[in-house]
Amino acid sequence: MLNERSLSFSHDCEDCPIRHRAVCARCDQAELERLEEIKYYRKFEAGQTVVWSGDRMDFVGSVVSGIATLTQTMEDGRTQMVGLLLPSDFVGRPGRDSAAYDVTATTDLVMCCFRKTPFENMMDQTPHIAQRLLEMTLDELDAAREWMLVLGRKTAREKIASLLSIIARRDASVATRAATHSIVFDLPLTREAMADYLGLTLETVSRQISALRKDGVIALEGKRHVTVPDMGRLLEEAGDDADGGVFA
Amino acid sequence: MLNERSLSFSHDCEDCPIRHRAVCARCDQAELERLEEIKYYRKFEAGQTVVWSGDRMDFVGSVVSGIATLTQTMEDGRTQMVGLLLPSDFVGRPGRDSAAYDVTATTDLVMCCFRKTPFENMMDQTPHIAQRLLEMTLDELDAAREWMLVLGRKTAREKIASLLSIIARRDASVATRAATHSIVFDLPLTREAMADYLGLTLETVSRQISALRKDGVIALEGKRHVTVPDMGRLLEEAGDDADGGVFA
DNA sequence: ACGCAACATTGACCCAGATCAAAAGAACGC
DNA sequence: GCGTTCTTTTGATCTGGGTCAATGTTGCGT
């Protein structure tokens, strides 16, 4: 069963981040080959919807590159983003056959998917996959609860700083950090998407970003390219401990 | 190894709700007996703290009776409740040795605990325990994400209605429901605790409860005893679909 | 029964962020 | 190049819920 694609799925594979966080981190070669058989890639363009809430969802998977969002919508149109999926994040729920949220690509997106039924079978026979998923789900639960604090108790400025912190930590290249002591990244979200994540309006997001720029907490080139000269300062603005770091 | 206590832990046990939701739902008798050996009960009075965030936590467990809350606190004292633990809910995280949140009893509380290290060992040898925990954690994640919508996008009145819905659904006795078509329960939280859960101030909570009472959505006897004459109406006020029911 | 301490309600006022409105950049096809 | 459309910024005004303050209510210990 070995072929080019399955070779690319070994622990040394560069293009598939699953080895870092997701299901196969502890798999041996035989297990990886089994996963390989039920694996396929899906590509989406920026703005495309992966699944709508309530739709049948016959796969699970993880993000290879690009960014996706999970959002909930009320009947009257109010929306709340409930998750931000960055590369290596897992999507889908074993044991449920319909999506609970809208999943949308906000940039061009590549996902590594597994057909759900065979994946579930494999889970039954490979205990450490369930254990790995449990760990990941507990991490997500912690992140969701951190976000509850952001939504419930932080000011607009703190909310923006919190969001920038998360993106900075997960998205900034290590090289950039080492060279200049400042962190540089591109915002993968529109102002509107940021507002939906933060429980704000897009106007408030825009105003607070302008304010943080004016105060020197961040610098902007164009609308999306952000430089954080002092990460400690940003975390302070976010209301987090400057050292600890909730989203580390 | 059988004795009185272990017998009370069988699938027919009445006093320990673990068989319903928590770890041993699918355990056979031998496994139950092993769990029995590492199990112990802890009792707390209303207002007592189970663990503080950051404290060493050498057990996992679930709520037998009473209600506990998970809260996060910022340095300046702002607090956000991130979880409400009702009977049968699970507490603690395998693979982590310190608590991530303050856990507080809001009523008299009985917990059924397992020493963490032997519990983790047992998890390694009993795959369906990890699977059960995964299911439960995914449910909690869904609940946390539902709550993100409440915190981020709902009005104060909708927030109160949402909280009352949750408590009504989990706490109301079936008998009461059948007899009168209305749902009756006691609020297990102070106004302040409700405010911390909803991202509001206690004054706003009080005002909105008064408003819902004046509008006939709920009736109150004393400060805590609530009657919901029409659950559909309450769900409407919460901004949820009257039928579907997010927190079912 | 009384006094004290939590807990809860209600009122008056204020402000952070929403809403409404306009205009200025960017990005894209033709 | 040049409309067209999407995104973002900025201004003016409004308002839901916060803040401050006073008063009620409940329950408990003595």
Side-chain angles (χ1 to χ4, degrees):
Chain A
M1 274 300 165
L2 277 179
N3 57 29
E4 271 177 46
R5 277 177 67 238
S6 69
L7 282 172
S8 78
F9 199 68
S10 78
H11 275 175
D12 294 327
C13 105
E14 283 302 317
D15 69 327
C16 182
I18 282 184
R19 70 196 166 102
H20 298 309
R21 288 195 79 226
V23 291
C24 55
R26 291 198 284 259
C27 287
D28 62 27
Q29 193 61 37
E31 288 161 352
L32 286 173
E33 283 165 28
R34 268 197 73 192
L35 281 171
E36 181 64 23
E37 287 167 31
I38 60 171
K39 177 184 110 174
Y40 58 99
Y41 288 101
R42 295 182 68 187
K43 290 176 205 279
F44 299 89
E45 287 170 31
Q48 264 191 297
T49 296
V50 177
V51 278
W52 294 103
S53 173
D55 278 3
R56 184 165 178 68
M57 189 162 165
D58 55 4
F59 66 94
V60 298
S62 68
V63 175
V64 174
S65 65
I67 288 171
T69 61
L70 303 181
T71 57
Q72 280 189 300
T73 305
M74 293 172 67
E75 299 91 81
D76 62 7
R78 282 177 281 176
T79 67
Q80 175 66 50
M81 194 188 300
V82 296
L84 188 61
L85 299 172
L86 302 178
S88 92
D89 282 340
F90 189 78
V91 197
R93 171 161 179 172
R96 171 186 292 165
D97 59 353
S98 66
Y101 316 101
D102 299 334
V103 182
T104 310
T106 59
T107 64
D108 287 351
L109 178 73
V110 178
M111 292 194 49
C112 174
C113 300
F114 302 96
R115 288 183 292 122
K116 192 161 74 74
T117 308
F119 184 84
E120 284 167 353
N121 292 340
M122 185 148 175
M123 257 182 72
D124 287 339
Q125 294 152 33
T126 318
H128 64 75
I129 291 185
Q131 286 175 16
R132 186 81 190 92
L133 281 180
L134 177 58
E135 275 174 39
M136 290 169 53
T137 306
L138 285 164
D139 285 343
E140 277 188 87
L141 183 58
D142 282 340
R145 285 172 166 167
E146 289 292 341
W147 208 247
M148 286 170 65
L149 177 64
V150 172
L151 290 172
R153 292 302 183 192
K154 290 194 177 179
T155 64
R157 171 184 267 243
E158 290 170 333
K159 285 179 174 182
I160 297 289
S162 297
L163 178 56
L164 293 176
S165 304
I166 294 181
I167 297 173
R169 288 186 191 222
R170 293 224 26 199
D171 208 44
S173 76
V174 177
T176 310
R177 221 176 307 186
T180 66
H181 284 276
S182 60
I183 293 179
V184 179
F185 59 94
D186 285 302
L187 279 176
L189 301 174
T190 64
R191 299 290 186 265
E192 189 180 22
M194 294 174 71
D196 281 341
Y197 202 15
L198 296 166
L200 297 171
T201 59
L202 67 91
E203 293 96 326
T204 298
V205 170
S206 180
R207 275 186 250 270
Q208 294 300 332
I209 288 180
S210 299
L212 289 175
R213 179 167 43 71
K214 194 158 49 192
D215 297 346
V217 181
I218 57 172
L220 284 176
E221 288 162 61
K223 307 298 183 187
R224 298 292 192 88
H225 195 73
V226 179
T227 304
V228 181
D230 179 355
M231 196 60 193
R233 174 77 193 285
L234 184 63
L235 289 173
E236 229 172 79
E237 292 284 354
D240 296 337
D241 270 326
D243 47 26
V246 182
F247 295 101
Chain B
M1 273 301 163
L2 276 178
N3 57 29
E4 270 177 47
R5 275 177 69 241
S6 68
L7 282 172
S8 78
F9 199 67
S10 77
H11 276 175
D12 294 326
C13 107
E14 284 301 316
D15 71 327
C16 181
I18 281 184
R19 70 195 166 104
H20 298 309
R21 286 195 79 224
V23 291
C24 54
R26 290 198 284 260
C27 287
D28 62 28
Q29 193 61 34
E31 288 161 352
L32 287 172
E33 282 166 28
R34 266 197 74 190
L35 282 170
E36 182 64 23
E37 286 167 31
I38 61 171
K39 177 184 109 175
Y40 58 98
Y41 288 101
R42 294 183 68 188
K43 291 176 205 276
F44 300 88
E45 286 170 32
Q48 264 191 299
T49 296
V50 177
V51 277
W52 294 103
S53 174
D55 278 4
R56 182 163 178 68
M57 187 162 166
D58 55 4
F59 66 94
V60 297
S62 67
V63 175
V64 175
S65 66
I67 287 172
T69 60
L70 304 180
T71 57
Q72 279 188 302
T73 306
M74 293 172 68
E75 299 92 79
D76 61 8
R78 282 177 280 177
T79 67
Q80 175 66 50
M81 193 187 302
V82 297
L84 188 61
L85 299 172
L86 302 179
S88 91
D89 283 341
F90 189 79
V91 197
R93 171 163 178 170
R96 171 188 292 164
D97 59 352
S98 67
Y101 317 101
D102 298 334
V103 182
T104 311
T106 59
T107 64
D108 286 351
L109 178 73
V110 179
M111 291 192 50
C112 174
C113 300
F114 303 96
R115 288 183 292 123
K116 192 162 75 72
T117 308
F119 184 82
E120 284 166 355
N121 293 340
M122 187 149 174
M123 258 182 72
D124 287 339
Q125 294 153 33
T126 318
H128 63 75
I129 290 184
Q131 286 175 15
R132 186 81 191 92
L133 281 180
L134 177 57
E135 275 174 40
M136 290 169 53
T137 306
L138 285 164
D139 286 342
E140 277 188 88
L141 183 57
D142 283 339
R145 284 172 167 167
E146 289 291 343
W147 208 249
M148 286 171 64
L149 176 65
V150 172
L151 290 172
R153 293 302 185 191
K154 290 194 178 179
T155 65
R157 171 184 267 245
E158 289 170 334
K159 285 179 175 183
I160 297 289
S162 298
L163 178 56
L164 293 177
S165 303
I166 293 181
I167 297 173
R169 289 184 191 225
R170 290 224 26 198
D171 208 44
S173 75
V174 177
T176 310
R177 221 176 308 185
T180 65
H181 285 274
S182 60
I183 294 179
V184 179
F185 59 94
D186 285 303
L187 279 175
L189 301 173
T190 65
R191 300 290 186 262
E192 188 178 24
M194 294 174 71
D196 282 342
Y197 202 13
L198 296 167
L200 298 170
T201 59
L202 67 91
E203 292 96 328
T204 297
V205 170
S206 182
R207 274 186 252 272
Q208 295 300 333
I209 287 180
S210 298
L212 288 174
R213 179 168 44 73
K214 194 157 48 191
D215 297 345
V217 181
I218 57 172
L220 283 176
E221 289 162 60
K223 307 299 180 185
R224 299 292 191 88
H225 194 73
V226 180
T227 303
V228 180
D230 179 356
M231 196 62 193
R233 174 77 193 284
L234 183 64
L235 290 172
E236 230 171 78
E237 291 284 353
D240 296 336
D241 270 326
D243 47 25
V246 181
F247 295 100

